[in-house]
């Protein structure tokens, strides 16, 4: 067992390094990923060690980045693409939705699309417009794509390995405000499946389901609730497509209450789907309707309003109280 | 005359009324500038005149050596390809009219561009077509009946693209030019000397993706040939609505050569494409070939060209028919006799018959195919929905 303590950013870097070492077909592509090492330095040092043919600085053209990655995948490569920020993925949305997601099906399974699209996403870093969005539901809604987001360094390391090894396109959302959070990574452990939810904290009174940046908030909420004598279970979904409904159902059948928490707007979000499906699956177990906590149906606000917009401890605890009051 | 030189494009600062008037005059001038740019047609690379005569001139001198090996038999082969492709296309159009196909995108008039470029390719080259490259598919030995599945509605592409190095038809305009560029980047990384060819139309040249493909291919010196069939119309919009300079000239701005070839001259298309492919193989990077041609029919069977273009225009292009000009040449040169044409007519009939039979016998896909190949590695939601729908369907069986 080789356990190291590292940040999520470092874990992602190590994971990319391992992928480049293991498989000569793996390529890193994106804007500024070479010499600069990416604006968040996730690809730091990789071009120096693997060369410009493996770690490729691209023109500033997102559709071009994803479109050429599709062509490289058709040629047998496994491109790992970096989109610089969440709000910049939309020029590439057409290529992702109309081409990348459907190529395998259109070809009746004869070609595979092992493309990973890494996107630093969500808010909390005081950035300007288009740098703090949570578009995961827009991708999870698209058949053919897998959509995941790690919340710990260990998951960052392993989920990225699994995403790169997958023959399906994976949208890999990195919670940018957690890049510098540290944790233990066992680089020899054999992880569970990419889409399996993880019980981050066991509890008995209510389940909080979250992913990416909100897992930490939910754990903090659980700790605060524990001081009031409430036992909160926190489920880290890890994957938004597919969603591990079996795992979530097990938790809800135990606690009989569920609050889903994400940064993205609540309306038609991942939480809406979870509320609907868990209601179908657990109708006779539920003591309260499934509640959702998340962003508003409004453009992501200027940085000075982020703290009001993003679900924090209080909004999560308020939802916990409302659920328990039923 | 360049567009930039027109004085009318300079903004004028004056009163509101005058500004409005100036705006109107600017628009008018811009239109006439565009028309001027379009009408100032550069000479085409042409090896065979509409009358079927071989020509040698300064314009085609560079390309002539690329077809110096072409024998009479080769010419008959090119003719056969064009005739059979036209027959297949006509049969598909008829099948659409008879309700056997939901839609058809005819290539009528573009046979020379497709056969000329298609026959320039090597087996290990890779083709990224639009939805109209039936002639190129023919050159790649894709069974033409396989092209009909998507138009009949039984699949989204009925062939394995890796078998013939002929990618699936791409509906979203211009998307495939980026796939071709990426593929070509991969070819270069592999150290192979294969080339990649991307087909698209004049309308697609307005798309961002095509321009990004130009950028990427130039930056990475990718071995890709961009083969644009300028058939003059993007559904109902003429080329003046897509560009204000001749299309092939755009390549210069991206840093690679562009050539305009007579798209109705199969020999010129063959020569120019071979030249461009050789550049790619040599490591000289991308080329834009603009095949100047004409779509004789509708964009697809859904539109009505009589609403947007004049009969005289079509008639003028009919005089440049790609098949007729090669036939005239074959007859005049004695490279083909009546026996050849008669045999080809018989072969053509057979192809038409087979296409009709295969289409009509094409089975609908199994219902559960909806859930197949959505993911390579599987997906829990798809599994769940597949099981639910199977149970739902089974419930009807139990009811009997």
């Amino acid at each position: 067992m080789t356990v190291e303590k590292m940040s999520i950013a470092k874990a992602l870097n190590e994971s990319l390094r391992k992928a480049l070492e293991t498989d000569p077909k793996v390529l890193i592509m994106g804007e500024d990923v070479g010499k600069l090492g990416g604006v968040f330095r996730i690809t730091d040092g990789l071009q120096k060690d693997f060369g410009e043919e493996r770690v490729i600085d691209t023109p500033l053209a997102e559709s071009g980045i994803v479109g050429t990655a599709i062509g490289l995948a058709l040629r047998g490569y496994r491109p790992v693409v970096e989109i610089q920020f969440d709000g910049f993925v939309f020029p590439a949305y057409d290529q992702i939705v109309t081409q990348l997601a459907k190529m395998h099906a259109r070809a009746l399974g004869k070609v595979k699309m092992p493309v990973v699209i890494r996107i630093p996403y969500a808010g909390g870093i005081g950035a300007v417009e288009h740098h703090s969005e949570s578009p995961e539901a827009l991708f999870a809604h698209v058949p053919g794509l897998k959509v995941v987001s790690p919340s710990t360094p260990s998951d960052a390391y392993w989920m990225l390995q699994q995403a790169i090894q997958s023959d399906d396109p994976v949208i890999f959302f990195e919670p940018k405000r957690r890049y510098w959070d540290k944790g233990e990574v066992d680089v020899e452990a054999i992880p569970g499946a990419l889409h399996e939810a993880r019980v981050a904290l066991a509890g008995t009174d209510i389940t909080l389901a979250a992913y990416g940046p909100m897992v930490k908030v939910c754990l903090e909420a659980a700790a605060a609730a524990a001081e009031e004598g409430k036992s909160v279970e926190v489920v880290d979904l890890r994957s938004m497509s597919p969603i591990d409904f079996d795992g979530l159902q097990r938790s809800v059948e135990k606690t009989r209450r569920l609050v889903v928490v994400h940064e993205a707007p609540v309306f038609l979000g991942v939480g809406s789907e979870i509320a609907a499906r868990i209601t179908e699956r657990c109708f006779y177990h539920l003591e309260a309707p499934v509640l959702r906590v998340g962003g508003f149906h409004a453009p992501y606000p200027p940085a000075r309003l982020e703290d009001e917009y993003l679900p924090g401890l209080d909004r999560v605890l308020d939802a916990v109280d409302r659920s328990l009051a039923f | 005359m360049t567009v930039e030189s027109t004085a009318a494009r300079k903004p004028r600062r004056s009163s509101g009324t005058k500004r409005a008037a100036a705006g109107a005059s600017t628009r008018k001038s811009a239109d006439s500038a565009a028309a001027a740019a379009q009408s100032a047609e550069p000479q085409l690379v042409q090896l065979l005149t509409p009358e079927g005569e071989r020509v040698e001139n300064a314009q085609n001198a560079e390309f002539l050596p690329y077809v110096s090996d072409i024998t009479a038999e080769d010419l008959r082969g090119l003719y056969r390809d064009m005739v059979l492709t036209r027959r297949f296309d006509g049969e598909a159009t008829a099948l659409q009219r008879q309700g056997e196909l939901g839609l058809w995108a005819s290539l009528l008039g573009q046979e020379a561009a497709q056969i000329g470029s298609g026959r320039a390719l090597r087996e290990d080259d890779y083709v990224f077509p639009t939805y109209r490259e039936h002639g190129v598919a023919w050159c790649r030995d894709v069974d033409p009946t396989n092209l009909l599945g998507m138009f009949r509605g039984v699949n989204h592409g009925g062939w394995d693209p890796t078998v013939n190095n002929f990618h699936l038809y791409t509906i979203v305009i211009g998307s495939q030019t980026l796939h071709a560029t990426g593929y070509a980047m991969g070819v270069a990384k592999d150290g192979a000397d294969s080339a990649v060819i991307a087909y698209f139309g004049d309308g697609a040249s307005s798309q961002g993706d095509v321009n990004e493909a130009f950028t990427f291919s130039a930056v990475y010196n990718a071995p890709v040939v961009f083969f644009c069939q300028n058939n003059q119309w993007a559904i109902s919009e003429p080329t003046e609505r897509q560009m204000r300079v001749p299309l092939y000239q755009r390549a210069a701005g991206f840093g690679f050569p562009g050539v305009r070839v007579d798209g109705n001259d199969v020999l010129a298309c063959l020569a120019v494409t071979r030249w461009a492919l050789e550049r790619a193989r040599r490591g000289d990077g991308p080329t834009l070939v603009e095949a100047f041609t004409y779509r004789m029919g509708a964009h697809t069977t859904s539109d009505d060209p009589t609403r947007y273009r004049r009969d005289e225009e079509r008639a003028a292009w009919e005089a440049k028919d790609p098949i007729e000009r090669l036939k005239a040449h074959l007859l005049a040169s004695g490279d083909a006799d009546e026996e050849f044409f008669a045999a080809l007519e018989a072969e053509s009939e057979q192809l038409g018959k087979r296409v009709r039979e295969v289409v009509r016998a094409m089975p609908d896909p199994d219902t559960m195919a909806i859930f197949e190949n959505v993911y390579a590695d599987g997906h829990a939601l798809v599994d769940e929905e597949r099981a639910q729908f199977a149970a739902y369907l089974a419930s009807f069986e139990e009811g009997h």
Side-chain angles (χ1 to χ4, degrees):
Chain A
M1 194 165 101
T2 314
V3 178
E4 293 176 46
K5 193 159 188 181
M6 60 178 90
S7 66
I8 285 182
K10 181 68 177 165
L12 293 167
N13 181 270
E14 289 292 328
S15 189
L16 291 171
R17 177 174 291 279
K18 185 183 176 188
L20 286 164
E21 280 169 357
T22 310
D23 184 350
K25 292 293 184 186
V26 170
L27 304 171
I28 311 288
M29 298 170 67
E31 297 161 10
D32 307 300
V33 298
K35 282 199 175 65
L36 184 67
V39 289
F40 288 105
R41 309 291 184 269
I42 305 303
T43 55
D44 193 26
L46 297 179
Q47 191 183 65
K48 185 167 79 63
D49 294 342
F50 295 94
E52 292 180 7
E53 285 291 314
R54 304 283 310 279
V55 182
I56 306 165
D57 274 326
T58 63
L60 265 74
E62 284 77 10
S63 191
I65 295 169
V66 174
T68 52
I70 290 170
L72 282 157
L74 288 168
R75 182 69 190 181
Y77 286 86
R78 303 184 89 85
V80 183
V81 160
E82 177 174 306
I83 298 293
Q84 207 152 56
F85 283 92
D86 34 60
F88 303 162
V89 74
F90 297 107
Y93 196 65
D94 168 47
Q95 281 286 347
I96 295 171
V97 173
T98 70
Q99 306 299 313
L100 181 65
K102 293 176 176 164
M103 199 69 85
H104 180 67
R106 281 171 62 209
L108 304 175
K110 302 296 186 189
V111 300
K112 296 182 169 54
M113 277 290 116
V115 177
V116 176
I117 301 179
R118 295 179 37 242
I119 309 177
Y121 85 121
I125 64 164
V128 294
E129 201 181 14
H130 311 304
H131 288 68
S132 303
E133 297 175 11
S134 299
E136 61 270 20
L138 296 173
F139 293 92
H141 194 67
V142 179
L145 301 178
K146 292 185 172 176
V147 183
V148 302
S149 179
S151 71
T152 67
S154 178
D155 269 355
Y157 182 88
W158 282 111
M159 287 169 70
L160 187 52
Q161 287 295 304
Q162 292 169 313
I164 294 169
Q165 283 157 18
S166 171
D167 281 332
D168 289 310
V170 180
I171 312 296
F172 194 89
F173 280 109
E174 299 171 1
K176 64 172 87 85
R177 68 164 146 151
R178 306 293 181 218
Y179 270 149
W180 304 280
D181 287 6
K182 287 190 174 176
E184 289 187 340
V185 179
D186 181 348
V187 295
E188 287 171 5
I190 296 164
L194 181 61
H195 71 277
E196 272 177 22
R198 171 181 74 95
V199 177
L201 179 72
T204 53
D205 296 339
I206 185 169
T207 299
L208 289 178
Y211 51 86
M214 293 312 294
V215 172
K216 188 175 180 180
V217 174
C218 288
L219 288 170
E220 288 166 358
E227 288 177 16
E228 298 169 5
K230 296 165 194 160
S231 173
V232 177
E233 178 147 307
V234 177
V235 174
D236 179 357
L237 292 171
R238 300 170 75 248
S239 171
M240 281 74 77
S241 179
I243 290 171
D244 182 4
F245 285 109
D246 293 343
L248 196 54
Q249 182 175 352
R250 282 194 294 276
S251 177
V252 174
E253 285 178 356
K254 181 175 72 170
T255 65
R256 307 170 84 88
R257 293 171 202 275
L258 175 63
V259 176
V260 189
V261 185
H262 51 58
E263 289 190 17
V266 165
F267 183 69
L268 292 176
V270 170
S272 309
E273 180 62 35
I274 291 173
R277 292 219 183 227
I278 289 299
T279 302
E280 282 179 32
R281 283 173 173 241
C282 307
F283 190 70
Y284 293 109
H285 287 88
L286 286 168
E287 297 286 350
V290 178
L291 300 180
R292 290 163 294 159
V293 181
F296 307 113
H297 197 58
Y300 196 88
R304 294 298 177 109
L305 288 175
E306 261 187 334
D307 286 347
E308 306 300 324
Y309 176 88
L310 293 172
L313 208 56
D314 289 340
R315 274 170 63 196
V316 175
L317 288 171
D318 175 66
V320 167
D321 288 345
R322 280 190 287 134
S323 177
L324 288 168
F326 271 94
Chain B
M1 176 184 168
T2 63
V3 172
E4 289 73 18
S5 69
T6 54
R9 295 192 69 223
K10 286 180 188 164
R12 296 176 189 179
R13 300 189 189 283
S14 54
S15 73
T17 323
K18 280 184 180 170
R19 193 153 52 237
S25 99
T26 300
R27 274 196 298 279
K28 195 177 175 190
S29 297
D31 275 354
S32 59
Q38 290 293 327
S39 64
E41 280 176 21
Q43 267 201 308
L44 304 166
V45 175
Q46 187 182 70
L47 304 183
L48 202 59
T49 67
E51 294 73 35
E53 289 161 7
R54 291 288 300 265
V55 280
E56 292 185 25
N57 55 34
Q59 196 80 19
N60 68 25
E62 186 179 0
F63 305 100
L64 272 172
Y66 288 87
V67 286
S68 59
D69 62 323
I70 294 297
T71 62
E73 189 185 351
D74 294 333
L75 286 177
R76 288 194 297 272
L78 293 168
Y79 182 80
R80 174 179 173 269
D81 289 336
M82 290 198 290
V83 167
L84 294 181
T85 297
R86 180 171 287 187
R87 180 51 176 259
F88 164 72
D89 185 73
E91 215 54 62
T93 302
L95 285 164
Q96 195 281 332
R97 297 301 184 217
Q98 292 160 16
E100 299 288 348
L101 299 178
L103 184 79
W104 183 244
S106 167
L107 63 36
L108 186 65
Q110 299 178 222
E111 295 86 354
Q114 296 195 14
I115 299 300
S117 60
R119 284 294 176 217
L121 298 164
R122 230 165 54 183
E123 200 176 329
D124 59 320
D125 294 338
Y126 207 101
V127 180
F128 287 86
T130 70
Y131 43 76
R132 202 190 294 281
E133 266 64 77
H134 322 313
V136 186
W138 173 266
C139 295
R140 302 305 284 178
D141 292 330
V142 174
D143 185 328
T145 60
N146 281 348
L147 306 174
L148 300 172
M150 72 183 296
F151 294 99
R152 190 170 168 86
V154 301
N155 58 45
H156 294 307
W159 61 94
D160 179 346
T162 61
V163 171
N164 306 85
N165 282 7
F166 185 79
H167 192 64
L168 302 161
Y169 278 2
T170 297
I171 304 274
V172 181
I173 303 296
S175 291
Q176 75 283 359
T177 58
L178 279 169
H179 308 161
T181 301
Y183 194 94
M185 288 162 65
V187 168
K189 282 182 189 302
D190 293 344
D193 75 340
S194 310
V196 180
I197 189 163
Y199 288 87
F200 60 104
D202 39 300
S205 73
S206 299
Q207 288 280 356
D209 275 5
V210 172
N211 289 273
E212 293 188 24
F214 289 174
T215 297
F216 274 68
S217 64
V219 164
Y220 298 115
N221 207 42
V224 58
V225 176
F226 296 106
F227 194 92
C228 178
Q229 288 166 86
N230 178 357
N231 68 15
Q232 314 300 328
W233 293 93
I235 305 189
S236 70
E237 296 191 12
T239 47
E240 292 82 34
R241 273 283 168 268
Q242 311 296 337
M243 64 206 69
R244 294 175 60 177
V245 295
L247 203 153
Y248 76 99
Q249 288 179 2
R250 289 191 177 184
F254 291 91
F256 53 88
V259 179
R260 179 178 276 185
V261 61
D262 185 339
N264 286 16
D265 174 353
V266 70
L267 213 51
C269 288
L270 177 67
V272 170
T273 310
R274 278 180 169 179
W275 166 82
L277 290 166
E278 191 182 286
R279 288 192 76 250
R281 294 188 213 294
R282 256 201 327 257
D284 288 350
T287 307
L288 171 62
V289 176
E290 177 192 0
F292 206 72
T293 182
Y294 192 72
R295 183 235 299 157
M296 300 298 288
H299 164 70
T300 68
T301 44
S302 289
D303 76 313
D304 172 10
T306 63
R307 292 174 74 114
Y308 56 82
R309 68 185 190 194
R310 294 171 297 116
D311 290 345
E312 304 86 73
E313 181 183 297
R314 189 189 145 119
W317 278 93
E318 264 175 7
K320 304 178 191 174
D321 189 273
I323 294 181
E324 290 306 315
R325 82 169 66 179
L326 186 53
K327 185 173 188 178
H329 177 74
L330 288 170
L331 285 170
S333 62
D335 283 342
D337 53 20
E338 286 304 331
E339 198 182 333
F340 166 76
F341 293 111
L344 185 53
E345 179 56 29
E347 188 181 5
S348 193
E349 284 300 318
Q350 281 305 112
L351 175 66
K353 186 164 175 282
R354 183 165 79 85
V355 168
R356 287 193 298 276
E357 284 170 1
V358 171
V359 166
R360 287 176 179 145
M362 235 176 230
D364 285 348
D366 182 80
T367 302
M368 299 313 283
I370 291 169
F371 302 98
E372 297 307 312
N373 300 311
V374 185
Y375 292 87
D377 297 343
H379 190 281
L381 179 61
V382 178
D383 293 344
E384 186 183 319
E385 292 186 350
R386 181 196 288 114
Q388 284 171 352
F389 196 58
Y392 171 76
L393 292 178
S395 71
F396 292 101
E397 301 297 322
E398 286 155 14
H400 282 291

